[in-house]
Every structure is written in structure tokens, then in C-alpha cells.
């Protein structure tokens, strides 16, 4: 039995077991996986797997894809995920640009839009712009909002995910609602658009979807972005920092269990993955990497401090000195490696993309020198895979990952369920 996918045959964890099965179907890809393999890898009984897969087939999430020869007995039926059974919207709100993507259940981008954004126009104006772009994205792709929503569900002010099996189904789980900020193992919903994940600069509160004083944009302080956008679109909405969204997407892409994603674009931040899951901290305050002071008498930063890494990096970039920007970024990265003992540093963001090799080599050089001085192993530095869309695809995964039980490092993590681990 693969303990990473270990199932638990308890009624309260039935939704978890369905999520385990769906995740294995997702990772199996077009090749599919048999029921027997699902049972072996989850630790569930074959009967339990059969009930779960029958329900998933009934909801259109799973289909047969042929038969596979077995070592004895009749050939095994192979099942696969149906990617177009549902979609999620990913929305990246940068300080000057909006990017929106439509992603299927397999994580494939099927539509994309980009447009200028005046982030400083304030919450109401940005919500209207974002909603219009999402509507245009869905109209262009021929998608429609989730049809199985329940009125009154607590999903960021929008609709929740319905479509569960009846209470008499021993493996059905509680249909429940899709909690837009902590949608842990929701019952697989009926097809189409499941929700909108929004990634943007922090600081913010992931749990409530309320923004704090975004650096350089104090007018955003206290704005309830999640509820405002959900009310405008009529869809569940999840809000997180851009770096956390990217970290989630990179984790699902197999980048490892212990790494930092450093995003240098119009600002600088970090997404942390510790123990195989994004680490936000209890107040979504983890990863405010750009505002650590490394030069006490340095240039002023928009956050109110002086000598922040963000201010020093962006000043070097503005002066055309990418090598200096990379050196400063490397010093901050080395501090983080020393503090958290992470295994990998990934770089992304539009500023990094403008001089990718110089940033990777510059940060790597600083980490290498620190490691040699300390007699420790050198931590690798690489450009994040798919860096151009890492944030916006990660935003879509804020909606999709809970369906596959991948939103958190362990199950269960629902605030209302107590500690059942």
C-alpha cells in the first residue's frame, strides 16, 4: 500500500477517499488506472473503490478507457478522468495587468485572456474589470457556470458545489458546500465551471478573502475581494497571494516537497512549500520575502521601511543592472535557505523572465558561496517550470486542488471538522 494515498474507511472521511481516487485518476493521465490498482494504492477495499468509481462515473467525472491484460483472470477495466467534465477559472491580478485562464480538470489551459489593469483604481473598479474579463473568457470558450449549485451555500458569497450522492450511499460522503477559502475535499460537483481562483499581491487574509494594505496601494486595505467578486459573478471564489497560488501549482506539477518560489515582477514575494504543501501561516503572512530589510540606510520602500530586498532589486533593475538585482535576490534567498533548510529555490515573474539566465546564475552563485563558507550542501536554483503562467495556473488550482484532496498537506483540515487526524 502506498501510504501517501492511504485511505481511511471511516464515514467522516468518505469525501477524502473519493478525493484519493480522483487524484490517482488525475495523475494516471490518458493511460488510466484499474480499480484493482486504485484499491492497492489507496488501501481501500475493492468494494469501496467500486462504489466510489460508480458514483464518479454517474457524475460524468470518470469513464472507461478499455481493458488491460492481467496476470490472472479476466482483463481489468481501465478508468480515466474526463478532463472536460469541469473547469476552473484562474485570475492573476497584477499591478498593471490582468491574466485569466480557463483550465480543465487535468490542469490543461483551454482558453486565455490578457488585458491592462489599473490596480490603483480600487476594489470596485477592479472587480468590475475582472468580472467582465471572466465573462468574456467563458463566453469565448463556450463554457457555462456550474449547473449544480445550491442556493444559500457559503461559497464566498456565490454558489456552492452540490451534486452529492444520497445519505444511503456508504461511500458518498457529505455533499456539504464548497467553502471558497477552505474547500477541503468537496463532493465532486456536476460539470462546467466550478469556481474562480484569484491570485494577487499581498498582504491579504486567505481565509476571509479580505485584502490588507497592499504595498503601494493602501486604498485596498479591508476590501472584501472574495465576496465582492463572488456576488458579481455568482460563482465560488477563492483568493490567495500570487506567490502562494504559484507554489500550489508547482507542487501539483511535481516540483518537490520543500522549496521556495521567488516571484520578481512588479514586486517581490515568496511562496513556501514545506512538508509537501504550501505554507501560508495562520494569518497568510508567510512569504513576505520582499520586505525583509538587508540595508538599514537603503532606499525607501513602498511598505514604509528602508532597504527592503524588493526596493533594492527593483532599483537595480530600473538602472539596467540585472546582475546586481540577481545578487541582492540571492542574498535574500540564501537567508531563507539558512532559515528554513529548504531543498530547492525556483525563480519566476516577468522581471526574472526578462533576464532568466542571469538571475538563475546570479542567485546560484550567492547560494553556492554561502554553502562553501558554511560547509553545507549547495541548494539548487532553477527557473520555475511554466514560469510565465505559474501564478495564473496556480490560481485555477486553488479551485481544482481540493477536489483531488491536494489543497492541504494532510487530511482533514476543515476548520469545522475538528482534529480527526
Amino acid at each position: 500500500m502506498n501510504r501517501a494515498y492511504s485511505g481511511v474507511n471511516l464515514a467522516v472521511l468518505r469525501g477524502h477517499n473519493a478525493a484519493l481516487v480522483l487524484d490517482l485518476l488525475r495523475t494516471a493521465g490518458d493511460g488510466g488506472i484499474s480499480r484493482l490498482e486504485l484499491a492497492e494504492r489507496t488501501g481501500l477495499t475493492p468494494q469501496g473503490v467500486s462504489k466510489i468509481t460508480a458514483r464518479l462515473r454517474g457524475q460524468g467525472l470518470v469513464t472507461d478507457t478499455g481493458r488491460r491484460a492481467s496476470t490472472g483472470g479476466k482483463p481489468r477495466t481501465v478508468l480515466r478522468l474526463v478532463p472536460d467534465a469541469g473547469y476552473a477559472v484562474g485570475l492573476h491580478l497584477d499591478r498593471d495587468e490582468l491574466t485569466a485562464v480557463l483550465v480543465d480538470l487535468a490542469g490543461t489551459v483551454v482558453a486565455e485572456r490578457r488585458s491592462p489593469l489599473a490596480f490603483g483604481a480600487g476594489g470596485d473598479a477592479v472587480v468590475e474589470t475582472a468580472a467582465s474579463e471572466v465573462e468574456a473568457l467563458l463566453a469565448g470558450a463556450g463554457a457555462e457556470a456550474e449547473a449544480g449549485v445550491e442556493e444559500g451555500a457559503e461559497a464566498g458569497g456565490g454558489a456552492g458545489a452540490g451534486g452529492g450522492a444520497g445519505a444511503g450511499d456508504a461511500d458518498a460522503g457529505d455533499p456539504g458546500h464548497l467553502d471558497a477559502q477552505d474547500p477541503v475535499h468537496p463532493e465532486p460537483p456536476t460539470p462546467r465551471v466550478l469556481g474562480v481562483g484569484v491570485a494577487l499581491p499581498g498582504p491579504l487574509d486567505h481565509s476571509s478573502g479580505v485584502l490588507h494594505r497592499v504595498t503601494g496601494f493602501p486604498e485596498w486595505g479591508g476590501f472584501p475581494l472574495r465576496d465582492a467578486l463572488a456576488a458579481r459573478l455568482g460563482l465560488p471564489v477563492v483568493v490567495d497571494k500570487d506567490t502562494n497560488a504559484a507554489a500550489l501549482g508547482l507542487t501539483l506539477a511535481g516540483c518537490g516537497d520543500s522549496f521556495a518560489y521567488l516571484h520578481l515582477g512588479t514586486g517581490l514575494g515568496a511562496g513556501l512549500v514545506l512538508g509537501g504543501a504550501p505554507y501560508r501561516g495562520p494569518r497568510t503572512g508567510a512569504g513576505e520575502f520582499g520586505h525583509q530589510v538587508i540595508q538599514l540606510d537603503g532606499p525607501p520602500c513602498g511598505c514604509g521601511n528602508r532597504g527592503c530586498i524588493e526596493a533594492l532589486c527593483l532599483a537595480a533593475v530600473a538602472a539596467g543592472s540585472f546582475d546586481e538585482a540577481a545578487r541582492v535576490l540571492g542574498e535574500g534567498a540564501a537567508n531563507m535557505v539558512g532559515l528554513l533548510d529548504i531543498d530547492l529555490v525556483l525563480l519566476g515573474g516577468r522581471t526574472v523572465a526578462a533576464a532568466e539566465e542571469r538571475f538563475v546564475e546570479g542567485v546560484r552563485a550567492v547560494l553556492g558561496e554561502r554553502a562553501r563558507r558554511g560547509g553545507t550542501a549547495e541548494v539548487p536554483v532553477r527557473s520555475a517550470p511554466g514560469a510565465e503562467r505559474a501564478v495564473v495556473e496556480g490560481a485555477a488550482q486553488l479551485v481544482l486542488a481540493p477536489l483531488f484532496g491536494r489543497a492541504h498537506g494532510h487530511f482533514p483540515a476543515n476548520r469545522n471538522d475538528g482534529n480527526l487526524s
Side-chain angles (χ1 to χ4, degrees):
M1 179 178 71
N2 185 339
R3 293 191 179 275
Y5 289 99
S6 178
V8 184
N9 286 307
L10 298 174
V12 74
L13 300 185
R14 287 168 186 156
H16 168 57
N17 291 340
L20 292 179
V21 170
L22 275 172
D23 193 43
L24 287 170
L25 287 161
R26 178 186 67 86
T27 56
D30 291 339
I33 188 170
S34 70
R35 292 181 181 84
L36 181 58
E37 290 172 299
L38 288 170
E40 290 173 346
R41 295 187 63 183
T42 60
L44 298 170
T45 65
Q47 294 85 354
V49 168
S50 292
K51 288 181 179 180
I52 291 171
T53 55
R55 180 162 45 86
L56 296 177
R57 287 183 63 188
Q59 293 173 320
L61 293 170
V62 173
T63 189
D64 294 350
T65 188
R67 292 183 178 272
R68 182 179 299 162
S70 64
T71 55
K74 63 181 182 180
R76 301 173 184 173
T77 300
V78 178
L79 305 173
R80 68 170 177 84
L81 184 71
V82 179
D84 60 0
Y87 300 89
V89 174
L91 196 59
H92 180 194
L93 304 180
D94 208 342
R95 291 170 174 85
D96 59 358
E97 183 180 56
L98 178 153
T99 307
V101 296
L102 186 66
V103 174
D104 67 19
L105 294 183
T108 302
V109 175
V110 298
E112 179 176 6
R113 287 180 64 90
R114 292 179 183 267
S115 66
L117 180 67
F119 194 75
D124 291 335
V126 170
V127 164
E128 185 57 37
T129 299
S132 297
E133 287 296 318
V134 170
E135 290 167 344
L137 178 80
L138 299 183
E144 58 189 40
E146 159 66 50
V149 298
E150 299 177 6
E151 292 297 327
E154 296 180 31
D169 187 338
D171 287 277
D174 297 325
H177 66 267
L178 176 58
D179 179 343
Q181 292 307 119
D182 194 12
V184 181
H185 315 300
E187 186 69 13
T190 49
R192 307 324 291 171
V193 180
L194 311 182
V196 179
V198 184
L200 72 163
L204 55 83
D205 187 330
H206 168 68
S207 297
S208 66
V210 174
L211 273 67
H212 300 320
R213 291 173 60 89
V214 179
T215 302
F217 300 92
E219 63 273 15
W220 277 91
F223 186 80
L225 177 60
R226 181 194 70 182
D227 292 349
L229 187 58
R232 172 64 174 77
L233 287 171
L235 284 168
V237 173
V238 189
V239 172
D240 208 343
K241 291 195 294 189
D242 45 13
T243 49
N244 290 340
L248 173 62
L250 292 168
T251 303
L252 295 175
C255 288
D257 294 335
S258 170
F259 66 86
Y261 168 73
L262 305 184
H263 183 93
L264 180 59
T266 57
L268 173 62
L272 306 176
V273 172
L274 306 175
Y279 179 73
R280 298 179 175 92
R283 292 167 293 277
T284 326
E288 289 296 322
F289 174 84
H291 299 293
Q292 54 177 307
V293 175
I294 63 171
Q295 185 179 332
L296 294 179
D297 58 350
C301 179
C303 72
N305 293 324
R306 300 183 70 91
C308 292
I309 293 181
E310 177 178 296
L312 294 169
C313 276
L314 294 179
V317 169
S321 180
F322 288 101
D323 292 337
E324 174 63 12
R327 186 186 69 82
V328 172
L329 184 60
E331 293 293 341
N335 291 343
M336 180 170 288
V337 168
L339 181 65
L340 299 177
D341 195 23
I342 53 179
D343 294 334
L344 174 67
V345 173
L346 296 173
L347 306 181
R350 71 170 82 165
T351 302
V352 169
E356 184 177 291
E357 185 174 344
R358 292 166 74 178
F359 272 104
V360 171
E361 291 301 323
V363 173
R364 181 182 293 149
V366 176
L367 264 65
E369 179 59 29
R370 289 272 194 105
R372 286 188 291 273
R373 289 202 304 265
T376 58
E378 185 173 341
V379 172
V381 179
R382 296 198 291 266
S383 176
E388 182 183 359
R389 292 199 303 209
V391 172
V392 73
E393 290 188 37
Q397 291 298 339
L398 292 170
V399 174
L400 294 180
L403 184 67
F404 304 103
R406 299 297 299 273
H408 299 277
H410 59 84
F411 179 83
N414 193 309
R415 295 185 302 274
N416 298 321
D417 287 344
N419 183 11
L420 302 176
S421 57

